[in-house]
Amino acid sequence: MTDTRRRVKVYTLNEDRQWDDRGTGHVSSCYVERLKGMSLLVRAESDGSLLLESKINPNTAYQKQQVQGKDPSVDITQDLVDESEEERFDDMSSPGLELPSCELSRLEEIAELVASSLPSPLRREKLALALENEGYIKKLLEIFHVCEDLENIEGLHHLYEIIKGIFLLNRTALFEVMFSEECIMDVIGCLEYDPSLSQSRKHREFLTKTAKFKEVIPISDPELKQKIHQTYRVQYIQDMVLPTPSVFEENMLSTLHSFIFFNKVEIVGMLQEDEKFLTDLFAQLTDEATDEEKRQELVNFLKEFCAFSQTLQPQNRDAFFKTLSNMGILPALEVILGMDDAQVRSAATDIFSYLVEYNPSMVREFVMQEAQQNDDDILLINLIIEHMICDTDPELGGAVLLMGLLRTLVDPENMLATANKTEKTEFLGFFYKHCMHVLTAPLLANTTEDKPSKDDFQTAQLLALILELLTFCVEHHTYHIKNYIINKDILRRVLVLMASKHAFLALCALRFKRKIIGLKDEFYNRYIMKSFLFEPVVKAFLNNGSRYNLMNSAIIEMFEFIRVEDIKSLTAHVIENYWKALEDVDYVQTFKGLKLRFEQQRERQDNPKLDSMRSILRNHRYRRDARTLEDEEEMWFNTDEDDMEDGEAVVPPSDKPKNDEDIMDPISKFMERKKLKESEEKEVLLKTNLSGRQSPSFKLSFSSGTKSNLTSQSSASNLPGSPGSPGSPGSPGSPGSVSKSTSQMAAITTKGGLVGLVDYPDDDEEDDEDEDKEETLPLSKKAKLESS
């Protein structure tokens, strides 16, 4: 007999620390009742006697002995062969596996053989073929009856290990035998005697006495009935009887999953083809004469029927739901959802979820058609909304499910658009006309005053779900939700919930407003300003005090968004109406930044000239050709000195035509003044060197000053009686004094001043490049004039 178990040599360590040869045998592992655990067994190759029995300790590291070199006493030299290659060669060359005779006395040997074959794919294949060809499973089940009659617990434990190992062989042919009508209960019986449990389980008793099979609609096909029984029992084996598979065993049960899967496909196909069965099912579901218990059984059957359909391939699932639709499943659900039985309604909700997840367009088409015939109160979608609102579960588990279904139905992403019609336009028009008032009814009823009239936890949860769906509508719908919010004053009602004692509800209300502001839609903005809808938010912010929590961060983020996005209308509204309440908030710069934005807006409105200059300079910001430089210099050089004294810069229109004389004349004047100033500085320096004393001098700096400063300083130095002229009280000759014209011009300079005409905080690098060009500009102009 060819044995596929691993062949080993057994050595034991004696008292003298020497190894004694115990012989050659075959090693296997199995559960040993006496040792109370999985154990390592080695049986002698000659007579099958037990050479070694040792309990496997999970904390002990086991290692295969390493063979190094060759035995010098061996005359015949041979290359060392890797064990796995040797096994592969033996498996390929050896004939099929011969099983031990199926006897009670050899159950332990059979269990060891099965356990030792599982690690190797080739050995599993040979063992499976041997079990199939010899009808071995039925013989094992006959021994099972003998062991039960004799109450042979050890034999029953061996049978458990054998049957469990056969499951792990993962063979459909073996499952067909084990799950046949004559064998399946005995297989379950073998699996009741788990050696790791102190008492056997009562699986057969449960299946035969507790679990009852009910035919809600009589099934005439015996094959279909047998398939339903088999599927239920195999599912029970998988879920309840077999132990949870380990990481290594998980893939070994894939065929068992497939067996159940294909059984369900067959059952659905058989029922779908039986038109009489389905006709009777829907007729009894909608019949008012059907008693409640019967109707509950029918609905539960239909629910399980739809659950089975989830295993179908897409094309088969299409045919399945099309059949149900033709049979009238949606009208039937409408009738069922209107009943008082909570269990029936719950099952109907589950069925409705299968339909919505599969084909929301089919559901939308049905509800739009029935709106032409029925009142709003009995529309299917309104029944769903009412069940969501009236959910009695403290955690609102059913309401959460229904809200998800409604969200799927109103999601434009899964709506179809054809050449003849647009589903989005039609359905959203229907929804806002016939259903939205039902959805918002709890919100409107609870926000008639300054605070929520009912503020318990369950109501707060329900309102939070409604707000979540409304927020989704704001994000994905366009004019439908905008018209509804503005016409029904929904945002004002929602912001009443900011006063709720439940923080999650107040945050939901704030999130709803934040989503609206995020659209930057002026229709929404005018509505917010007209109704002063920042007041509840500011109140909540102030009531929150100095607590650094999610409410605080969320409100600040909303105002920061308004500032960053420069939403002018909302910025002005917030500062004009709520600045006194917010001006002391200094741990963030958000509100001061809003105030600055507001002042800049007002400044541009009051002084269009400054805004015009900002626009001109911004337009020419990146055009640094020769013509642009001349235009900008002319703008600065033509500035009237008297205007500079008054702190204003007169900016000529950018489109005014200029001739060469207009351009060159102010430059010539500037160069003349510059030459005069340089000669004066040279004279002062010369006197200083001759006298040995240093006197204060006025220097033009081309490295740090801007064109504005240069113009104001050089011009003012030549004006009689000006602060910069020699001998005046505030002249630069006085230590520590600052030119008046320079200080006044600081209000309109871009560098070194308080407020710039053009403020580009993110263009520092370009400013440096511009300054370099500006520094060299007078020299290049001078060279141009000299050459001419």
Side-chain angles (χ1 to χ4, degrees), residues 589-655:
Q589 298 303 310
T590 297
F591 301 107
K592 288 181 171 55
L594 273 176
K595 183 70 159 51
L596 180 60
R597 288 277 195 194
F598 171 71
E599 291 173 348
Q600 290 172 347
Q601 293 173 23
R602 190 168 57 181
E603 184 179 355
R604 287 196 295 268
Q605 292 171 0
D606 295 342
N607 196 342
K609 294 181 180 180
L610 296 179
D611 195 43
S612 174
M613 177 173 285
R614 179 188 295 269
S615 175
I616 292 170
L617 295 182
R618 190 184 300 254
N619 291 338
H620 294 282
R621 180 69 179 166
Y622 302 105
R623 295 175 55 192
R624 289 296 176 184
D625 52 29
R627 182 64 185 167
T628 304
L629 289 173
E630 291 173 4
D631 293 342
E632 292 181 4
E633 283 184 332
E634 180 185 15
M635 177 178 64
W636 286 104
F637 295 156
N638 279 340
T639 303
D640 188 75
E641 292 158 348
D642 294 333
D643 293 332
M644 284 185 154
E645 287 290 327
D646 296 334
E648 286 188 14
V650 180
V651 183
S654 59
D655 57 348

Side-chain angles (χ1 to χ4, degrees), residues 438-626:
V438 181
L439 178 65
T440 57
L443 172 66
L444 298 177
N446 209 38
T447 54
T448 55
E449 301 175 0
D450 293 338
K451 291 184 178 182
S453 55
K454 192 177 180 183
D455 203 17
D456 59 278
F457 179 73
Q458 190 167 355
T459 302
Q461 275 193 312
L462 175 62
L463 294 177
L465 286 177
I466 295 173
L467 283 180
E468 184 178 344
L469 187 56
L470 290 177
T471 305
F472 177 84
C473 294
V474 168
E475 183 177 5
H476 291 86
H477 301 168
T478 52
Y479 57 89
H480 293 94
I481 187 65
K482 179 164 42 179
N483 291 339
Y484 189 82
I485 289 175
I486 295 175
N487 292 334
K488 301 293 184 182
D489 200 13
I490 295 296
L491 180 56
R492 185 179 64 82
R493 293 297 194 92
V494 168
L495 292 177
V496 171
L497 302 177
M498 293 284 293
S500 172
K501 65 182 180 182
H502 301 284
F504 70 88
L505 180 57
L507 287 168
C508 285
L510 183 63
R511 189 185 306 119
F512 179 72
K513 180 173 182 177
R514 173 65 177 82
K515 187 66 68 175
I516 290 176
I517 292 176
L519 298 177
K520 297 189 286 187
D521 188 318
E522 281 303 313
F523 284 99
Y524 277 129
N525 293 346
R526 286 195 292 270
Y527 162 61
I528 291 172
M529 293 184 294
K530 181 180 178 181
S531 302
F532 294 92
L533 295 181
F534 274 102
E535 183 175 339
V537 178
V538 174
K539 281 185 178 179
F541 181 71
L542 298 176
N543 291 336
N544 191 62
S546 60
R547 286 175 291 180
Y548 181 62
N549 52 20
L550 190 56
M551 178 64 72
N552 175 276
S553 300
I555 294 176
I556 291 175
E557 189 277 335
M558 176 187 293
F559 287 108
E560 182 69 13
F561 176 82
I562 296 172
R563 186 192 69 82
V564 172
E565 296 297 325
D566 196 14
I567 306 177
K568 295 179 176 57
S569 58
L570 295 184
T571 300
H573 176 75
V574 170
I575 297 302
E576 289 173 352
N577 294 280
Y578 308 106
W579 171 243
K580 289 185 179 180
L582 301 172
E583 63 179 338
D584 293 333
V585 179
D586 56 1
Y587 56 89
V588 291
Q589 298 303 310
T590 297
F591 301 107
K592 288 181 171 55
L594 273 176
K595 183 70 159 51
L596 180 60
R597 288 277 195 194
F598 171 71
E599 291 173 348
Q600 290 172 347
Q601 293 173 23
R602 190 168 57 181
E603 184 179 355
R604 287 196 295 268
Q605 292 171 0
D606 295 342
N607 196 342
K609 294 181 180 180
L610 296 179
D611 195 43
S612 174
M613 177 173 285
R614 179 188 295 269
S615 175
I616 292 170
L617 295 182
R618 190 184 300 254
N619 291 338
H620 294 282
R621 180 69 179 166
Y622 302 105
R623 295 175 55 192
R624 289 296 176 184
D625 52 29

Side-chain angles (χ1 to χ4, degrees), residues 139-340:
K139 296 178 182 178
L140 288 171
L141 296 178
E142 291 175 1
I143 297 178
F144 166 72
H145 288 289
V146 174
C147 290
E148 271 204 320
D149 293 340
L150 298 175
E151 296 183 355
N152 187 338
I153 302 301
E154 185 178 358
L156 292 171
H157 287 171
H158 289 315
L159 283 168
Y160 172 89
E161 296 292 347
I162 294 170
I163 296 298
K164 177 188 171 185
I166 294 175
F167 268 97
L168 296 178
L169 292 176
N170 212 24
R171 295 278 292 198
T172 303
L174 296 178
F175 289 155
E176 293 287 352
V177 176
M178 297 168 71
F179 299 150
S180 63
E181 188 70 22
E182 58 179 320
C183 296
I184 188 168
M185 296 305 290
D186 290 338
V187 169
I188 294 172
C190 291
L191 294 174
E192 290 179 351
Y193 294 93
D194 187 348
S196 62
L197 301 177
S198 58
Q199 293 183 346
S200 62
R201 297 292 180 89
K202 305 295 182 182
H203 297 303
R204 287 172 293 176
E205 181 178 339
F206 173 81
L207 290 173
T208 55
K209 296 181 180 180
T210 306
K212 298 291 181 67
F213 177 70
K214 289 185 178 181
E215 295 184 49
V216 292
I217 301 291
I219 298 175
S220 56
D221 188 351
E223 183 182 356
L224 173 59
K225 191 182 298 186
Q226 189 274 332
K227 187 70 68 176
I228 293 173
H229 283 297
Q230 183 189 58
T231 305
Y232 175 79
R233 290 166 180 170
V234 176
Q235 187 83 57
Y236 181 83
I237 291 174
Q238 181 191 45
D239 296 340
M240 304 299 298
V241 179
L242 287 177
T244 303
S246 65
V247 176
F248 303 103
E249 296 173 342
E250 191 168 359
N251 293 331
M252 291 182 171
L253 294 175
S254 59
T255 304
L256 180 61
H257 300 313
S258 299
F259 186 92
I260 297 171
F261 170 83
F262 288 113
N263 263 21
K264 290 181 178 180
V265 171
E266 288 185 41
I267 292 172
V268 172
M270 289 177 169
L271 289 174
Q272 188 177 333
E273 293 171 1
D274 193 341
E275 293 185 4
K276 183 180 182 304
F277 179 87
L278 292 178
T279 303
D280 293 344
L281 173 64
F282 286 104
Q284 293 187 33
L285 269 175
T286 56
D287 188 358
E288 295 181 358
T290 305
D291 61 85
E292 292 186 1
E293 184 178 356
K294 179 70 172 179
R295 181 175 283 109
Q296 183 175 342
E297 292 175 354
L298 291 167
V299 173
N300 287 334
F301 170 80
L302 185 57
K303 174 185 171 182
E304 191 169 359
F305 191 31
C306 291
F308 272 30
S309 71
Q310 302 305 298
T311 63
L312 298 176
Q313 296 297 324
Q315 62 273 17
N316 296 332
R317 198 180 309 135
D318 289 343
F320 171 79
F321 281 108
K322 189 173 292 185
T323 300
L324 292 185
S325 179
N326 294 336
M327 299 300 297
I329 188 170
L330 286 171
L333 287 178
E334 195 170 36
V335 173
I336 297 169
L337 288 170
M339 296 180 177
D340 297 331

